[in-house]
Amino acid sequence: MSNHEEFQVRGFTCASCATQFERNVNKLPGVSEAKVNFTASKLSVDGTVTVEELERAGAFENLKIQEASFSNNDWESDPIWKQGKNIRVAIASLFALAGWIALFQLGGESLLSVSLFLGAITIGGYQLFWQGLKNLVRAQFDMKTLMTIAIIGAAFIGEWGEAAVVVVLFAISEALESYSMDKARRSLRNLIDLTPKNTTVLQGTKETSVSVSDVNVDDVLLIKPGEKIPVDGTVMEGHSSVSEASITGESIPVNKKEEDRVFAGTVNEEGILKVRVTNRVEDTTLAKIIHLVEEAQQEKAPAQQFVDRFAKFYTPAIMILAALVATVPPLFMGAIWSEWIYLGLATLVVGCPCALVISTPVAIVTAIGHSAKQGVLIKGGIYMEQAGKVNAIAFDKTGTLTKGVPEVTDVDPLDGEDKVRLLLTAYHLEKYANHPLAKAIVQYIKDLPEHVDSEIEVTDFVTLTGHGVRGKINSVESFAASPTFVKDHYPAMFTKSLMEKVESLQKEGKTVVVVGDAKEITGLIALRDEVKPRTKQTLTELTRLGVKKIVMLTGDNTYTANAIGTEAGVTEVRSRLLPADKLNVIKDMQQAGYSVGMVGDGMNDAPALAVADTSIAMGKVGTDAALETADISLMGDDLAKVPYTIRLSRKTMMIIKQNIVFSLVLKALALLLVPFGWLTLWIAIFADIGATLLVTLNSLRLIRTESGTKKPNNRKG
């Protein structure tokens, strides 16, 4: 098995440079396969290679390499004004400016002005020339090849000043492209920065400050108020509220007590917590999120794949057009060679596809980074694009539309029966069961002020699968079971009036437990899994977004399903469904022509999630199942993030289309000047810079997309 290593790369200026670096690394001895993630500035290598070998492979771009480590989060790009290549551009700009001053002062070209222009070209463009010439020899026609031909051609026909300006402006355009990608990546870097570099480990009563990378599983950490939690763990001692906004996007702090889980990157707000470590820093939920976001940002949306294919034909087409502009008028119309060669060179420059190439990735990277910050993990550009097309959504009921935790709503002793007797019978039977309904009943009775946990022995205890529990209390066979079980086994006691009470509660969406013994029925306990707050508001928002069909899928009985569905505001309810039935419902909707989204818990809804056009898992604050199963994971289980995701997808695709139009229209307008002889190298390069700037600023508008979660009012009155 070959060795797998990951490296952080600093110095990429464009996607084509990343592609060239990947080719160079793949040619190194000892490397079986290398892949560059341009958006995350990372390199994955299968094989054996040294940092020195990698830096030699990236010498054409002066790339700097180091081994990737989650805890090593302090290696960021220098500010744009401190980067060596940009310092060289600044010097080249001064030379070019001095050259133009000399040109005007001396009334024309002179040895001084040409020398200054040549200095600007050499200082600002020697790396560009070297790579461009190598590409030309290999017949690889990218941006640097086009610019090299244009600059050499301009110098050849004596346009030294314009050649110098083109070098400087192209370098500025590259700096803009590099800046835009760095800006888009910053949301991911902010996630990494959530983890502190050091933490306090407790050894008995001794407190020791250690590097987070040295923290091991089962270590005990002391987390003080205001400190970030460095790794995942379980609270051993203490009580506090913890802000999990970095993981879930939810601004309301979560109360934490003993045995509760806490996550890396969250903030302890109030009390002191002692936390036992469950995951090392590289294995935390936050680390998994960052890894998924990195992979997602590299996955290309169909729109980006189209742009990549288009660029392969676009660049050679521009070269052919430039050659025709330079040669056809002089050859067949008697035009002046120098003028049309100049126009041909300007055509090469204006055709440079910088803005077009970054039009999609800068938008995708920005959108996925922003959504991750909001607690929504989108696993790639293809899923980002597909989410906006959804016009029908199926929701699982339990844990998705509802809280997933049943609560006792009614305790109804039959006429003449004692409520305390009813509760005690239910308590002593249900405390041996592990079902959510049983746990809810036991907890409800424990919390009652009148409850007395008397010592009553239960014998012959039996779990009635799917129906409840049964056992002997004081040698009398007793039960806490479903109405169906009681009706089948004790038909004489299941009277018409009792049936009417049961049906009345079920029509309210409640689950009914019948309590009694072999002699008589003591009474009924009703429970209900309440609809989550803001569910109806969220579904109304989905309808406003053009979602035509909202279906609730559940295995519950029809009465309960209809009651919950009505309260939630769905358009259709499908009840008594097995997992395979849910899958068939999704397929039927697809066959009816809908693009279907499925929202579930990522586990028992797996078949339906797998077949849906867009699958969205309720994340349960970072469970592995949620992170791995669906196309999109909602880390905070906030349904409001579903319409947010659809809005973000549609806005992203709109911006990508705008970016493509901006980059092509600006160049087309510049090319329209060619027949009139008005296109200059200056106009050409400004058209390229303008398109790059427009694309960048337009993409960064995605950062302002509303998350759909209203901030609470924290003022105390």
Side-chain angles (χ1 to χ4, degrees):
M1 182 180 290
S2 63
N3 185 41
H4 180 82
E5 294 183 88
E6 288 199 347
F7 300 89
Q8 194 74 40
V9 185
R10 181 167 63 177
F12 284 138
T13 56
C14 61
S16 61
C17 306
T19 303
Q20 180 60 50
F21 177 57
E22 182 177 280
R23 282 197 294 263
N24 292 353
V25 175
N26 273 305
K27 292 176 184 176
L28 293 175
V31 174
S32 56
E33 185 180 24
K35 287 185 178 179
V36 169
N37 184 334
F38 171 60
T39 55
S41 292
K42 281 193 172 180
L43 167 70
S44 297
V45 177
D46 288 330
T48 304
V49 68
T50 65
V51 170
E52 290 74 21
E53 288 176 309
L54 293 174
E55 290 193 340
R56 282 199 295 273
F60 71 95
E61 186 80 340
N62 196 29
L63 300 178
K64 299 299 179 186
I65 316 292
Q66 72 171 16
E67 291 185 11
S69 169
F70 180 80
S71 58
N72 187 9
N73 56 18
D74 57 347
W75 192 40
E76 296 185 8
S77 297
D78 292 328
I80 194 168
W81 59 87
K82 288 186 179 180
Q83 294 174 18
K85 60 192 174 189
N86 295 332
I87 293 173
R88 290 194 296 274
V89 172
I91 296 171
S93 302
L94 293 175
F95 270 78
L97 179 62
W100 280 101
I101 291 172
L103 186 70
F104 288 121
Q105 288 293 326
L106 298 175
E109 281 192 352
S110 63
L111 181 61
L112 176 61
S113 63
V114 171
S115 299
L116 289 169
F117 289 140
L118 185 58
I121 293 168
T122 305
I123 294 168
Y126 74 90
Q127 284 185 323
L128 163 69
F129 296 144
W130 180 241
Q131 189 59 37
L133 289 171
K134 286 198 291 187
N135 289 350
L136 195 58
V137 170
R138 299 181 187 127
Q140 294 174 353
F141 300 109
D142 63 5
M143 291 173 279
K144 291 187 176 179
T145 313
L146 298 185
M147 296 304 296
T148 299
I149 294 171
I151 294 164
I152 291 174
F156 181 75
I157 61 173
E159 297 289 347
W160 292 98
E162 294 207 22
V165 171
V166 167
V167 166
V168 170
L169 293 181
F170 178 71
I172 293 172
S173 178
E174 278 204 321
L176 273 175
E177 183 178 347
S178 179
Y179 171 78
S180 67
M181 291 307 297
D182 278 345
K183 184 82 173 175
R185 292 181 188 120
R186 200 158 297 160
S187 57
L188 180 60
R189 190 176 298 136
N190 290 342
L191 282 177
I192 295 173
D193 289 343
L194 290 172
T195 302
K197 295 177 184 177
N198 297 297
T199 189
T200 303
V201 174
L202 284 176
Q203 296 170 327
T205 57
K206 183 182 177 183
E207 299 179 14
T208 307
S209 179
V210 301
S211 170
V212 172
S213 59
D214 294 329
V215 171
N216 294 308
V217 174
D218 289 332
D219 282 352
V220 178
L221 308 182
L222 182 69
I223 312 296
K224 298 174 184 176
E227 290 184 344
K228 290 179 181 176
I229 297 171
V231 291
D232 293 355
T234 304
V235 177
M236 285 181 58
E237 185 181 315
H239 182 276
S240 182
S241 61
V242 173
S243 171
E244 295 184 341
S246 57
I247 303 291
T248 67
E250 178 56 62
S251 58
I252 300 174
V254 180
N255 288 324
K256 297 291 182 179
K257 58 185 184 304
E258 289 182 20
E259 303 302 320
D260 285 346
R261 291 176 68 197
V262 291
F263 303 94
T266 59
V267 181
N268 179 26
E269 296 203 334
E270 294 176 347
I272 294 176
L273 295 176
K274 292 182 181 178
V275 174
R276 184 177 298 280
V277 177
T278 57
N279 298 91
R280 282 182 53 82
V281 65
E282 62 269 18
D283 299 321
T284 62
T285 297
L286 181 64
K288 290 174 185 174
I289 290 171
I290 290 168
H291 179 67
L292 285 170
V293 173
E294 286 178 345
E295 288 186 337
Q297 290 179 333
Q298 185 67 1
E299 289 291 325
K300 294 182 178 180
Q304 186 173 349
Q305 293 169 0
F306 163 76
V307 168
D308 290 346
R309 289 194 302 270
F310 180 76
K312 286 181 181 177
F313 298 100
Y314 172 84
T315 304
I318 285 293
M319 294 193 70
I320 293 170
L321 176 63
L324 292 174
V325 168
T327 57
V328 170
L331 283 175
F332 299 102
M333 303 174 192
I336 300 170
W337 277 98
S338 60
E339 290 181 4
W340 286 92
I341 287 174
Y342 177 87
L343 285 169
L345 296 175
T347 302
L348 272 185
V349 173
V350 81
C352 198
C354 298
L356 182 65
V357 169
I358 69 165
S359 62
T360 303
V362 72
I364 291 289
V365 170
T366 302
I368 289 177
H370 179 266
S371 67
K373 195 173 179 182
Q374 299 298 325
V376 179
L377 292 187
I378 302 172
K379 292 190 178 177
I382 187 170
Y383 308 117
M384 169 68 75
E385 185 166 337
Q386 184 60 40
K389 299 176 182 177
V390 166
N391 57 10
I393 298 183
F395 287 93
D396 172 50
K397 179 182 79 71
T398 306
T400 301
L401 292 177
T402 65
K403 296 176 182 177
V405 180
E407 298 174 359
V408 173
T409 58
D410 299 83
V411 177
D412 187 5
L414 293 189
D415 294 339
E417 294 295 338
D418 183 5
K419 181 177 180 180
V420 174
R421 180 187 168 201
L422 166 63
L423 292 173
L424 284 175
T425 301
Y427 176 79
H428 288 293
L429 288 171
E430 298 284 23
K431 70 180 182 180
Y432 294 104
N434 198 37
H435 192 277
L437 292 177
K439 291 180 177 179
I441 290 171
V442 170
Q443 190 60 50
Y444 170 80
I445 297 171
K446 275 185 175 180
D447 292 341
L448 290 175
E450 66 267 27
H451 169 63
V452 178
D453 188 4
S454 56
E455 293 298 326
I456 297 177
E457 184 180 1
V458 177
T459 59
D460 298 337
F461 177 82
V462 177
T463 298
L464 309 169
T465 304
H467 289 292
V469 293
R470 180 172 60 185
K472 289 184 178 180
I473 298 178
N474 297 328
S475 301
V476 178
E477 185 177 274
S478 304
F479 55 80
S482 68
T484 303
F485 174 84
V486 178
K487 186 177 180 180
D488 291 343
H489 291 79
Y490 305 98
M493 292 192 292
F494 202 81
T495 63
K496 184 178 179 181
S497 62
L498 179 63
M499 184 184 297
E500 289 173 352
K501 282 189 176 184
V502 168
E503 288 183 354
S504 175
L505 290 168
Q506 287 179 337
K507 286 177 181 177
E508 295 173 10
K510 298 170 183 176
T511 300
V512 179
V513 176
V514 182
V515 181
D517 55 38
K519 299 177 182 177
E520 59 185 348
I521 292 176
T522 313
L524 307 176
I525 297 178
L527 305 93
R528 178 164 140 145
D529 183 6
E530 296 293 336
V531 173
K532 288 180 178 178
R534 297 186 300 176
T535 294
K536 193 159 191 172
Q537 175 186 339
T538 297
L539 300 193
T540 302
E541 174 67 11
L542 287 172
T543 303
R544 281 201 295 265
L545 287 171
V547 177
K548 299 172 184 175
K549 192 169 187 173
I550 302 174
V551 183
M552 186 182 80
L553 310 179
T554 179
D556 266 349
N557 67 72
T558 304
Y559 286 141
T560 301
N562 287 336
I564 295 294
T566 300
E567 186 175 340
V570 301
T571 57
E572 184 179 334
V573 174
R574 303 293 292 272
S575 58
R576 297 191 181 279
L577 300 179
L578 297 172
D581 299 325
K582 293 183 180 181
L583 180 148
N584 290 329
V585 171
I586 301 295
K587 285 185 175 180
D588 290 343
M589 292 167 70
Q590 290 171 327
Q591 288 173 2
Y594 291 103
S595 177
V596 184
M598 171 67 193
V599 186
D601 63 13
M603 295 177 69
N604 61 355
D605 297 309
L609 287 166
V611 78
D613 297 296
T614 300
S615 56
I616 303 174
M618 306 300 287
K620 306 295 182 188
V621 196
T623 58
D624 290 341
L627 291 175
E628 300 298 334
T629 302
D631 305 331
I632 300 167
S633 293
L634 309 183
M635 303 308 297
D637 293 354
D638 183 0
L639 280 177
K641 301 298 187 191
V642 177
Y644 157 76
T645 302
I646 293 174
R647 285 198 310 272
L648 179 66
S649 168
R650 292 177 182 175
K651 188 173 181 180
T652 302
M653 299 319 299
M654 178 186 69
I655 281 177
I656 286 172
K657 290 172 185 174
Q658 290 172 350
N659 286 351
I660 293 171
V661 170
F662 287 157
S663 58
L664 292 178
V665 167
L666 272 177
K667 293 177 184 299
L669 290 173
L671 289 174
L672 287 175
L673 301 177
V674 171
F676 305 100
W678 296 342
L679 181 63
T680 66
L681 287 172
W682 292 59
I683 293 174
I685 197 70
F686 272 118
D688 185 61
I689 287 181
T692 301
L693 192 57
L694 268 176
V695 163
T696 299
L697 296 176
N698 195 41
S699 297
L700 294 178
R701 288 196 299 125
L702 288 164
I703 294 172
R704 300 203 307 270
T705 305
E706 292 291 333
S707 69
T709 302
K710 291 183 179 179
K711 303 296 182 188
N713 185 349
N714 292 324
R715 290 179 299 176
K716 296 179 180 178

